Amino acid sequence: MVSMLSASAVAYGAATIVNAIATGKGAALGVDLWTKAKVELTDEPGIIEGRILSDPGEDTNLIHKIVMRVLRRFGLEGEHGAFVETDSNIPIARGMKSSSAAANAVSLATLAALGRKLRDLEVVKLGVEAAKDAGVTVTGAFDDACASYFGNIVVTDNVAQKVKRRFVVDREYTVLFHVPSSKAYTAQSDVEKIKRVAPLVNIAHREALLGRYWAAMTFNGLIYSMALGYDIKAAVNALGAGAVAAGISGKGPAVAAVVREDSIAEVKEAWNAYEGELIQARVNRVKAHVVGKDDD
């Protein structure tokens, strides 16, 4: 294997405002957790090796699918293979958009290594389609991918892959995550069971479109907790401690709470009663971007 060009990129995490599994329409909030990807192109077509440094036991199929999607986009799958490393502080399979962040970071790094550019939404869509190919998503997670890539708040139609509205969060919020040790893979969700709550999720999505995204986030969390059998106590206790919104993120098991500065200590104290990790982040307003390119 001869290494040719390499590049690195970073993309960010997100929290659910409206989960799109039930209706195909969603909304999400960017947070400043991150995933970094380094892609080294090789002269071995079809051979794509991946390593997830932050969780070595996880499947690397998504990495393979993303790189192949990008190479095929330019007709270069017969010229290059790749070696890819990712590192992240986003726990995998907890509802914190680790797959979307990885897809965006690997897509951007592969493009940069090739010396190619695409429009932002094209980059996002490449990752969404790769995530479908890899089976790590039910809907393609277009809402999560857009929040990961663009930051702030996006409200989307995932089926049509369209951004319906974007909102800039106009004040500083902390986003706290209570993260149980158990994992919940989106592809293993009981979609038919979840679709039974679609009429309620449509209401949450409409609220998000109208700019009432914190109410939408809390309502969505209650709906999906009911559908998936999760306890709502952590979210309710966070609200009681002053959070402006709280609910399960994605298909769980993580619970996210949007918190003003003066309520952070109270929400943390309310969550001390629950087993698991507490992760603190901020609303992200920075786009995913390339962080380095080298001639090797």
Side-chain angles (χ1 to χ4, degrees):
M1 177 182 76
V2 177
S3 180
M4 302 170 70
L5 295 173
S6 70
S8 300
V10 62
Y12 299 93
T16 296
I17 291 177
V18 178
N19 187 319
I21 292 178
T23 65
K25 297 176 182 179
L29 166 71
V31 300
D32 65 357
L33 301 174
W34 51 265
T35 295
K36 296 175 183 175
K38 181 175 182 180
V39 174
E40 296 180 4
L41 297 178
T42 71
D43 60 353
E44 296 182 323
I47 299 177
I48 297 166
E49 297 180 40
R51 286 198 299 179
I52 302 172
L53 301 179
S54 46
D55 204 336
E58 279 292 322
D59 194 314
T60 59
N61 189 37
L62 176 61
I63 290 172
H64 183 278
K65 298 294 186 183
I66 294 164
V67 174
M68 286 305 298
R69 278 261 173 191
V70 176
L71 291 174
R72 288 193 192 110
R73 174 67 175 74
F74 299 101
L76 297 172
E77 68 274 21
E79 296 184 27
H80 298 298
F83 177 72
V84 182
E85 286 186 338
T86 66
D87 195 11
S88 181
N89 65 356
I90 307 172
I92 291 176
R94 306 301 209 286
M96 297 168 68
K97 322 311 178 189
S98 57
S99 295
S100 292
N104 286 332
V106 174
S107 294
L108 278 174
T110 306
L111 285 165
L114 290 168
R116 304 295 182 113
K117 288 187 177 182
L118 293 172
R119 291 183 176 181
D120 290 332
L121 275 176
E122 272 199 87
V123 179
V124 171
K125 289 177 181 180
L126 278 173
V128 166
E129 294 305 318
K132 289 180 183 177
D133 292 344
V136 299
T137 174
V138 174
T139 69
F142 181 71
D143 51 344
D144 299 339
C146 286
S148 164
Y149 192 96
F150 294 108
N152 281 298
I153 290 171
V154 295
V155 186
T156 63
D157 182 331
N158 284 21
V159 177
Q161 292 192 351
K162 289 186 177 180
V163 177
K164 306 295 286 185
R165 290 201 70 180
R166 290 169 66 178
F167 297 96
V168 174
V169 181
D170 59 1
R171 62 179 296 171
E172 292 299 321
Y173 287 104
T174 291
V175 184
L176 297 175
F177 293 91
H178 174 258
V179 189
S181 58
S182 60
K183 296 184 178 182
Y185 294 92
T186 300
Q188 298 171 1
S189 302
D190 186 341
V191 177
E192 290 308 311
K193 182 179 179 182
I194 291 170
K195 284 185 175 179
R196 294 172 194 164
V197 299
L200 295 173
V201 178
N202 277 327
I203 295 171
H205 190 261
R206 186 161 62 246
E207 288 296 293
L209 278 171
L210 292 171
R212 296 191 281 265
Y213 34 79
W214 300 143
M217 181 177 180
T218 299
F219 188 39
N220 173 87
L222 294 172
I223 296 164
Y224 276 92
S225 291
M226 176 179 67
L228 296 168
Y230 286 119
D231 196 323
I232 65 171
K233 287 181 181 177
V236 170
N237 288 348
L239 293 167
V244 299
I248 61 168
S249 191
K251 75 294 171 201
V255 175
V258 179
V259 184
R260 296 187 186 94
E261 196 74 28
D262 58 4
S263 298
I264 294 172
E266 289 84 350
V267 174
K268 285 182 174 180
E269 185 177 353
W271 279 356
N272 281 340
Y274 302 97
E275 291 185 5
E277 184 181 4
L278 198 153
I279 294 176
Q280 183 169 331
R282 306 286 291 182
V283 173
N284 177 50
R285 298 179 176 85
V286 179
K287 267 198 335 186
H289 56 276
V290 174
V291 295
K293 183 177 177 180
D294 305 299
D295 290 300
D296 293 337

